């Protein structure tokens, strides 16, 4: 069927998801539960109205609960770092194959490098999901670690000249970035709570979408100016490095607040 058939199959699966979503309906609730829910919503609306004159810019943009959260600063730093990581993530997908062919790799083999990233990403997501559930592993620290380590891989990809080297680095790149992506939901829950997951993830997805639209054309402009496809990988590595620095700042802010809370509890 070729790549066109694969795209048609993916489009059919996506369309079927939309159909299944239309079949979903809210479960029926008892009358008493409905009264409680209406009262709760009424109290929530009243509290929002009473709070309206004192709302800050953050509460207007992010909503009352997220804007007033004690971890809102960590969340904003996370969104910035995540945007930088997304910008870096999509660059190798567009420019890895030309770099490999320039290094003397067969075009048929260079096409497999994207698949190698996918294989590594699947294993990284599985490991990240397990680690994020462990009490000894906080998703924020895990994300900072994998993003910081992955910033070296685009630079290494510009230096290797054998297929097995390219394949190994691509698998490792997918493995590390897959862990970062899979740790997103647990990280949002740990910072803002499960009740704010949908709204926070929606805001983060919007930022990710903008970032994914910006980075490939930016890398293309850089390649056109320098006539060197390696510059795209250098840009990806620099963006990951900058993202790791922002994540480190988020870890510092989060750790300082945690230490402050422990100090208050001991008083």
């Amino acid at each position: 069927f070729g790549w066109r058939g694969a795209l048609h199959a993916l489009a059919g699966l996506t369309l079927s998801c939309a159909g299944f979503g239309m079949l979903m309906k809210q479960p029926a609730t008892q009358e008493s539960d409905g009264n409680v829910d209406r009262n709760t919503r009424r109290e929530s609306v009243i509290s929002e109205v009473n709070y309206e004159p004192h709302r800050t810019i953050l509460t207007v943009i992010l909503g009352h609960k997220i804007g007033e959260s004690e971890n809102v600063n960590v969340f904003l730093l996370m969104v910035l770092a995540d945007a930088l990581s997304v910008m870096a993530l999509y660059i190798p997908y567009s420019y890895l194959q030309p770099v490999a062919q320039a290094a003397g790799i067969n075009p048929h083999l260079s096409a497999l490098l994207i698949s190698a990233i996918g294989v590594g990403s699947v294993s990284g997501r599985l490991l990240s999901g397990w680690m994020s559930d462990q009490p000894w592993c906080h998703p924020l620290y895990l994300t900072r670690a994998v993003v910081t380590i992955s910033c070296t891989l685009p630079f290494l990809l510009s230096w290797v000249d054998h297929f097995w080297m390219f394949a190994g680095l691509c698998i490792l790149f997918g493995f590390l970035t897959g862990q970062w992506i899979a740790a997103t939901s647990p990280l949002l829950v740990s910072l803002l709570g499960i009740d704010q997951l949908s709204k926070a993830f929606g805001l983060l997805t919007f930022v990710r979408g903008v970032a994914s639209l910006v980075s490939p054309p930016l890398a293309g402009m850089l390649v056109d100016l320098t006539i060197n496809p390696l510059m795209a990988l250098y840009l990806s590595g620099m963006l990951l490095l900058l993202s790791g620095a922002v994540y480190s700042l988020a870890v510092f802010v989060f750790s300082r607040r945690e230490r402050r809370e422990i100090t208050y509890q001991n008083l």
Side-chain angles (χ1 to χ4, degrees):
F1 296 96
W3 62 270
R4 290 185 176 86
L7 290 179
H8 292 162
L10 289 175
L13 289 175
T14 305
L15 183 61
S16 66
C17 292
F20 286 124
M22 294 176 63
L23 294 177
M24 296 180 182
K25 62 179 181 179
Q26 186 175 0
T29 57
Q30 297 180 358
E31 183 66 22
S32 59
D33 294 338
N35 293 333
V36 172
D37 291 340
R38 283 194 294 270
N39 293 333
T40 303
R41 287 195 296 267
R42 187 181 300 110
E43 293 176 359
S44 176
V45 171
I46 293 175
S47 62
E48 290 285 346
V49 172
N50 292 336
Y51 185 77
E52 185 73 24
H54 308 286
R55 297 183 71 186
T56 62
I57 296 178
L58 286 179
T59 57
V60 172
I61 298 175
L62 305 178
H64 172 61
K65 291 186 178 180
I66 297 180
E68 293 297 320
S69 173
E70 57 186 7
N71 287 320
V72 62
N73 293 329
V74 182
F75 172 69
L76 292 176
L77 289 172
M78 174 213 166
V79 171
L80 175 59
D82 195 270
L84 294 171
S85 295
V86 169
M87 291 178 66
L89 176 65
Y90 288 101
I91 293 177
Y93 287 99
S94 302
Y95 295 96
L96 182 59
Q97 198 167 355
V99 170
Q101 293 178 9
I105 306 300
N106 188 289
H108 296 288
L109 293 177
S110 63
L112 298 176
L113 297 178
I114 304 301
S115 300
I117 296 178
V119 171
S121 179
V122 171
S123 58
R125 290 167 190 250
L126 294 175
L127 179 62
S128 177
W130 175 79
M131 291 180 63
S132 297
D133 289 336
Q134 305 306 311
W136 46 265
C137 180
H138 194 282
L140 180 59
Y141 294 91
L142 174 63
T143 303
R144 189 267 300 266
V146 296
V147 170
T148 303
I149 296 173
S150 64
C151 72
T152 61
L153 299 180
F155 296 104
L156 293 176
L157 285 169
S158 65
W159 295 337
V160 298
D161 55 359
H162 291 81
F163 174 73
W164 66 269
M165 296 180 180
F166 274 102
L169 290 176
C170 286
I171 292 175
L172 184 58
F173 182 80
F175 178 75
L176 293 174
T177 55
Q179 291 189 61
W180 146 57
I181 294 173
T184 299
S185 295
L187 177 54
L188 292 175
V189 171
S190 65
L191 293 178
L192 304 174
I194 187 65
D195 58 327
Q196 298 302 311
L197 174 60
S198 59
K199 186 167 187 177
F201 197 84
L203 293 171
L204 184 62
T205 303
F206 170 76
V207 175
R208 283 180 170 180
V210 174
S212 64
L213 291 175
V214 170
S215 59
L218 182 62
M221 292 175 57
L222 186 61
V223 171
D224 290 340
L225 290 175
T226 59
I227 318 179
N228 185 2
L230 294 178
M231 296 303 297
L233 295 182
Y234 295 154
L235 176 61
S236 177
M238 291 301 298
L239 288 171
L240 286 173
L241 180 62
L242 184 58
S243 176
V246 178
Y247 270 120
S248 298
L249 180 59
V251 168
F252 171 76
V253 174
F254 180 77
S255 300
R256 186 178 63 175
R257 191 191 61 78
E258 290 287 307
R259 290 193 300 267
R260 187 179 302 169
E261 286 187 357
I262 294 175
T263 302
Y264 289 159
Q265 292 174 0
N266 295 332
L267 293 178

